[in-house]
Amino acid sequence: MMIRKCTVLCAAIMAATISLNAQEVNDFTGTWAAAAEWTGKGDMPRMSLSETTLREIIQVSIGGEELQLQLSNEFSKEPVEIKSIYVADALDSCDIDRKTVKELKFGGQKSVTIAPGETAMSDVFAYKLKPRQRLAVTICYGSVPVNMTSHRGSRTTSFIAKGLVAPKKKFVTAEKVDHWYSIAQLNVRTGGSVKAVAVLGNSITDGRGSTTNLQNRWPDMMAAKLDCGVLNLGIGGNCVVRGGLSEPAMKRFDRDILGQKGVEALIIFQGTNDIGTSPHAENTAKELKEAYKTLIKKAHEAGIKKVYGATITAFKGNGWYSPYHEAARQDVNEWIRNSGAFDGVIDFDKLTRDSSDPEKLKKELSEDWLHLNPEGYRVMGEYAAETINNKQ
């Protein structure tokens, strides 16, 4: 009888623990994220990051007072040694507001070594994070991998100083790079009251054509109009099915989308690279439709309530245009609009195309007939926000 009582008690304790852990997970929502990538030599700094201090700037979407930061070493073959890390409100250039500095811990320790292929989530820390503010994340490295895990298309300048720069010491920049290294997610405790929209995309979502350090990608413009987290998981040159730069969406989806906190809605805006680089565009169009179905199903099964399909924008005038590729784009877009597979449609194609030549972008919205410019991204972001607000 005593053994049975102990078994029942242990089971109850385990169930309560699981419930508490699930509640803690549900308490957090992403306010910023970047898709992790393998870093080739051309995207590494000229100087080694070993025994240096890296200051990276991010712009968040929602605010909060309890945060957690995830670091990634997923694409590296060697461990990354972090001796300390702290956050602070960002000022101009590499400067920070020292009154706001908060040092992070991992399992109660200031230092953390992340094994190859792994991530590390910081302990929850108190910080008065304001909506849409710029935050500086400062990492003091020990030894680092030959190829770091990074996000190449930061559109934001990071600053490197020699040696380990403590929070109260002057930061002297030795090199600047427009990439992010190691940082992957920033989450805030919302108690489940505020959710996030994640965006799966390529260079148009990643911000090619936007203004470095001005945070004017279309997801940034969308975030300015929404009262929720906005997570930009775009990668320049990325494909959905195969090829392209970094892992295709079908492979990275579980990590980059399902691995985010508090996501209630997803926008899939990807496919132009698959079509534009394909020697058999008609077959690629069929593959894209099947891939979209798979991603929608996975998202719904993971608890994401709404999956929006964004139509592929025009690319006539760009080097990879041909009547065959255009036919494939039109085919995919008609399927996005009319198949009913998506919970909603964001018709970027209709929004941005030239009424006198619908196969081209409006001249005032693009410089290269493929990517949008800051004005184009403003129009897209505000339109996407309006569409999502009308669907709520």
Side-chain angles (χ1 to χ4, degrees):
M1 181 64 71
M2 183 63 72
I3 293 174
R4 184 175 181 278
K5 287 182 178 179
C6 288
T7 302
V8 172
L9 180 61
C10 288
I13 291 172
M14 288 179 65
T17 301
I18 291 170
S19 177
L20 286 172
N21 288 342
Q23 180 64 42
E24 184 167 318
V25 169
N26 293 335
D27 273 354
F28 283 89
T29 297
T31 184
W32 175 89
E37 303 177 83
W38 179 83
T39 315
K41 184 177 180 180
D43 293 313
M44 290 291 290
R46 293 188 302 275
M47 62 187 290
S48 171
L49 283 173
S50 293
E51 301 297 331
T52 66
T53 299
L54 173 69
R55 180 160 291 166
E56 309 181 271
I57 312 300
I58 63 175
Q59 180 170 291
V60 305
S61 49
I62 55 174
E65 296 191 355
E66 290 183 277
L67 287 64
Q68 56 178 194
L69 178 71
Q70 186 191 69
L71 305 176
S72 176
N73 195 38
E74 292 169 277
F75 287 95
S76 306
K77 294 182 179 180
E78 301 89 21
V80 59
E81 180 189 10
I82 295 173
K83 295 187 175 181
S84 66
I85 180 169
Y86 53 93
V87 299
D89 288 4
L91 299 177
D92 292 336
S93 185
C94 66
D95 293 336
I96 60 173
D97 183 348
R98 295 180 185 177
K99 298 190 298 295
T100 65
V101 166
K102 181 70 177 183
E103 296 187 86
L104 276 58
K105 293 184 179 181
F106 296 80
Q109 303 298 314
K110 288 185 178 181
S111 63
V112 61
T113 298
I114 310 173
E118 300 295 331
T119 63
M121 187 72 81
S122 76
D123 299 344
V124 176
F125 60 97
Y127 194 90
K128 293 186 181 299
L129 186 74
K130 298 177 287 295
R132 302 280 295 156
Q133 80 158 78
R134 294 168 63 251
L135 185 75
V137 181
T138 304
I139 303 175
C140 297
Y141 286 112
S143 60
V144 301
V146 173
N147 299 105
M148 297 282 283
T149 296
S150 73
H151 183 79
R152 295 173 294 113
S154 66
R155 320 294 168 197
T156 305
T157 301
S158 298
F159 307 89
I160 306 169
K162 295 179 180 179
L164 307 182
V165 181
K168 293 184 179 180
K169 287 187 176 180
K170 183 177 176 58
F171 191 100
V172 179
T173 300
E175 186 178 347
K176 300 177 184 180
V177 289
D178 291 338
H179 309 297
W180 287 314
Y181 302 95
S182 301
I183 53 176
Q185 293 181 19
L186 183 67
N187 306 309
V188 299
R189 192 190 294 276
T190 65
S193 61
V194 180
K195 296 296 186 178
V197 177
V199 185
L200 181 71
N202 47 46
S203 58
I204 300 175
T205 295
D206 205 22
R208 176 72 178 269
S210 64
T211 311
T212 299
N213 294 320
L214 289 191
Q215 317 300 329
N216 54 11
R217 315 164 191 83
W218 76 261
D220 298 320
M221 300 295 98
M222 180 175 71
K225 299 292 183 179
L226 294 176
D227 295 322
C228 66
V230 173
L231 308 177
N232 185 338
L233 284 311
I235 295 180
N238 198 236
C239 287
V240 176
V241 180
R242 72 179 65 85
L245 299 179
S246 296
E247 292 182 335
M250 293 297 288
K251 185 172 183 180
R252 69 185 182 93
F253 188 79
D254 286 11
R255 177 187 65 251
D256 288 349
I257 300 300
L258 303 187
Q260 305 300 326
K261 299 288 183 71
V263 175
E264 190 171 64
L266 166 66
I267 300 171
I268 297 177
F269 177 42
Q270 199 163 353
T272 191
N273 291 331
D274 296 73
I275 293 171
T277 60
S278 174
H280 306 289
E282 182 180 352
N283 291 337
T284 298
K286 294 177 182 178
E287 290 180 327
L288 279 173
K289 296 172 197 176
E290 292 304 312
Y292 293 150
K293 291 178 188 177
T294 299
L295 297 181
I296 293 166
K297 184 173 184 290
K298 293 184 76 169
H300 284 156
E301 289 175 346
I304 297 175
K305 295 180 179 179
K306 294 182 180 179
V307 182
Y308 295 87
T311 52
I312 300 170
T313 47
F315 50 65
K316 185 178 180 181
N318 185 268
W320 65 32
Y321 172 86
S322 78
Y324 303 103
H325 293 90
E326 176 62 20
R329 186 182 75 89
Q330 296 283 2
D331 181 24
V332 171
N333 280 350
E334 285 307 303
W335 185 87
I336 291 172
R337 292 183 183 108
N338 300 314
S339 68
F342 289 99
D343 301 302
V345 175
I346 299 174
D347 203 339
F348 283 149
D349 172 40
K350 185 177 180 181
L351 176 75
T352 60
R353 68 193 182 198
D354 187 335
S355 59
S356 63
D357 188 352
E359 296 181 2
K360 296 184 74 172
L361 291 166
K362 293 177 181 177
K363 184 177 181 181
E364 66 271 22
L365 300 184
S366 177
E367 312 301 332
D368 65 1
W369 305 112
L370 175 62
H371 303 93
L372 284 293
N373 59 25
E375 175 60 14
Y377 289 138
R378 182 192 66 78
V379 169
M380 288 174 65
E382 292 180 358
Y383 168 72
E386 181 180 359
T387 303
I388 289 172
N389 278 327
N390 288 339
K391 286 286 184 179
Q392 290 179 348

